[in-house]
């Protein structure tokens, strides 16, 4: 029942926190999101992600990356840049991105 | 339509990312969560939080703090410690906590 290291994530690493509120226009969103998930897995230094969304409310996605280089590579991806432009044009009412260097993490799992 | 600084959050600051999966036993959870929200606002250096939860899936809460001292003060709060114990005993199947120092953030808002 005590806290333990987070499996697969050895500090230091980075969290990219993306919080967003969507518009009513979600045409094409799901396909693009699925494609982005496929693409980001190819980025060297991408360590995983988690995502949650309250129906009718905000969504939070946390990407885990090994270093700044991995984040920069993902940001520079041409297809990702196109998706971000489309997101600003159509899908997002607002969003925030917070890039943090993690020096400490821990977890708990039952049983 | 271009990115802007995140209102009220001037780097450096800290994100505390809490991702969790709940158990079926949520008795008392809502009251405790409401009380924790009240309490954390009294912590000097607490800058806000955002939370999302996919029904039947994971929840992600991101707390924003001015510095490590603010995080330590919140962690040391006796009532919060009691809530964390209860969370491990009853409410959470698993959780992870990632404490990150934010050097860079940006946002977008429509219109």
């Amino acid at each position: 029942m005590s806290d333990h290291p987070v499996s697969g994530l050895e500090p230091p690493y980075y969290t990219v926190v993306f919080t967003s509120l969507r518009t009513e226009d979600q045409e094409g969103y799901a396909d693009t999101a699925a494609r982005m998930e496929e693409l980001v897995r190819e980025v060297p230094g991408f360590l995983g992600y988690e995502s949650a969304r309250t129906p009718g409310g905000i969504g939070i996605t946390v990407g885990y990356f090994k270093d700044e280089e991995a984040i920069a590579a993902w940001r520079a991806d041409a297809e990702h840049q196109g998706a971000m432009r489309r997101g600003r044009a159509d899908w997002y009412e607002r969003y925030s991105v917070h890039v943090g260097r993690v020096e400490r993490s821990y977890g708990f799992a039952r049983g």
Side-chain angles (χ1 to χ4, degrees), chain A:
Chain A
M1 293 254 310
S2 62
D3 286 338
H4 59 70
V6 179
S7 172
L9 292 172
E10 180 79 20
Y13 58 90
Y14 286 76
T15 46
V16 177
V17 172
F18 178 80
T19 73
S20 65
L21 187 65
R22 308 252 194 99
T23 62
E24 310 241 305
D25 176 10
Q26 294 298 299
E27 195 196 328
Y29 176 84
D31 285 351
T32 299
R35 173 63 181 150
M36 291 305 109
E37 187 175 332
E38 211 174 71
L39 263 185
V40 74
R41 291 187 193 284
E42 296 171 12
V43 174
F46 171 73
L47 304 174
Y49 82 99
E50 295 180 283
S51 199
R53 185 165 176 248
T54 300
I58 72 161
I60 303 179
T61 296
V62 184
Y64 304 98
F65 292 86
K66 182 169 184 282
D67 50 32
E68 289 271 18
E69 289 65 33
I71 298 170
W74 176 229
R75 244 181 110 71
D77 180 278
E79 212 175 326
H80 182 208
Q81 289 197 340
M84 290 191 286
R85 275 193 300 274
R86 178 79 191 278
R88 286 189 292 268
D90 296 330
W91 298 323
Y92 294 115
E93 190 59 35
R94 59 174 172 78
Y95 64 70
S96 300
V97 179
H98 312 264
V99 180
R101 178 184 161 94
V102 175
E103 298 286 353
R104 186 168 84 253
S105 62
Y106 51 92
F108 159 81
R110 184 166 300 277

